[in-house]
Amino acid sequence: MSDNSLRLVWIYPDLLSTYGDQGNALVVERRARQRGLGVTRVDVRSDQPVPTSGDIYLIGGGEDRPQRLAAERLRRDGGLSRAVANGAIVFSVCAGYQILGHEFINDLGEREAGLGLLDVVSTRGEGARCVGDVLADIDPQLNLPQLTGFENHQGITHLGPTARAFARTRLGRGNGTGDGTEGAYNGTVFGTYMHGPVMARNPQIADLLLKLALDVNALPPTDDRWYEALRAERVAAATQPA
């Protein structure tokens, strides 16, 4: 951690904050404070440099044109890539997830270079959009409960040899490749298609990021009744017959 306070960086809220993904920043911040941890949140707009001294970086989803603009500015800025090289944790959603890969298809129908922080390549699906609730089993190495979220994307993301699937779907299409994968991660860089916001539905993901930033194996317990009620509601809604 930097100094004695956890530094949380929310990247480009003016471009990438679709479907309430900024709620992820609120959840990480709240769960840190519930445990008495000092936390400083920095919201970085797209006309501002990305600081390299953050501990946790969060990126949300966005429409096609804002995604292209965000990728262009992040490549030119270089701050996020330098932060990852210094050991920072990154959690990205949907368009942000695609930006962290090697390339994606932009709003002009062209291949757009990503940041190469995840070994994934995203293309555009030809069929119906991936829309609806998702239930998935998170990679056992991460020791997290079942993932619940909401997907709404046209993209298809293929994992390269150094990327691990974040989760395996029971319900929903995840990466859209038909192999049951959802999201990807490598080291301290994570990506998912899950909205919700995903950390309100799955607060243990926020706790995972905090543990990585603090370099600890466990955190003090906190009151999870609200989160567990929301999880139970969304899991039940996803699994009940139509």
Side-chain angles (χ1 to χ4, degrees):
M1 282 186 8
S2 51
D3 301 324
N4 295 317
S5 179
L6 188 72
R7 197 169 192 212
L8 175 64
V9 182
W10 173 246
I11 294 178
Y12 295 176
D14 52 331
L15 294 178
L16 301 174
S17 189
T18 305
Y19 305 123
D21 291 328
Q22 193 167 0
N24 292 332
L26 297 174
V27 173
V28 174
E29 185 176 14
R30 175 171 173 77
R31 291 184 74 79
R33 293 190 187 282
Q34 284 180 314
R35 295 176 168 98
L37 300 173
V39 58
T40 300
R41 176 173 157 185
V42 180
D43 289 6
V44 180
R45 294 178 59 86
S46 59
D47 60 349
Q48 298 173 319
V50 176
T52 61
S53 58
D55 300 297
I56 299 173
Y57 293 75
L58 301 174
I59 313 174
E63 301 301 326
D64 290 348
R65 185 172 182 274
Q67 180 188 24
R68 172 167 57 86
L69 295 175
E72 291 172 352
R73 294 174 189 187
L74 286 169
R75 288 197 310 268
R76 185 167 60 245
D77 177 86
L80 182 59
S81 296
R82 291 194 295 272
V84 171
N86 291 334
I89 296 99
V90 182
F91 190 89
S92 58
V93 176
C94 204
Y97 168 33
Q98 293 185 0
I99 289 172
L100 294 193
H102 298 299
E103 65 178 40
F104 61 92
I105 304 301
N106 65 23
D107 58 311
L108 304 176
E110 301 168 342
R111 292 191 295 182
E112 181 84 25
L115 302 184
L117 299 178
L118 277 174
D119 186 14
V120 302
V121 172
S122 297
T123 59
R124 185 166 295 170
E126 299 297 330
R129 289 180 68 85
C130 302
V131 180
D133 278 304
V134 174
L135 295 177
D137 297 319
I138 296 180
D139 186 336
Q141 288 195 11
L142 299 176
N143 193 30
L144 296 176
Q146 188 178 60
L147 174 71
T148 169
F150 181 83
E151 63 181 353
N152 185 352
H153 60 95
Q154 190 71 39
I156 295 177
T157 298
H158 302 267
L159 276 58
T162 66
R164 293 183 62 91
F166 183 56
R168 298 274 173 176
T169 57
R170 293 190 180 192
L171 174 70
R173 295 171 61 188
N175 286 325
T177 54
D179 62 359
T181 62
E182 201 299 304
Y185 76 100
N186 190 320
T188 60
V189 180
F190 299 83
T192 181
Y193 275 112
M194 295 301 93
H195 301 285
V198 67
M199 291 191 198
R201 293 191 183 201
N202 307 272
Q204 294 86 357
I205 296 176
D207 291 349
L208 171 65
L209 304 187
L210 292 173
K211 287 187 287 186
L212 289 171
L214 294 165
D215 194 21
V216 297
N217 293 321
L219 296 170
T222 187
D223 187 353
D224 280 344
R225 287 175 294 179
W226 182 90
Y227 295 101
E228 289 307 317
L230 175 61
R231 277 181 58 81
E233 172 192 302
R234 298 321 307 157
V235 170
T239 55
Q240 67 185 4

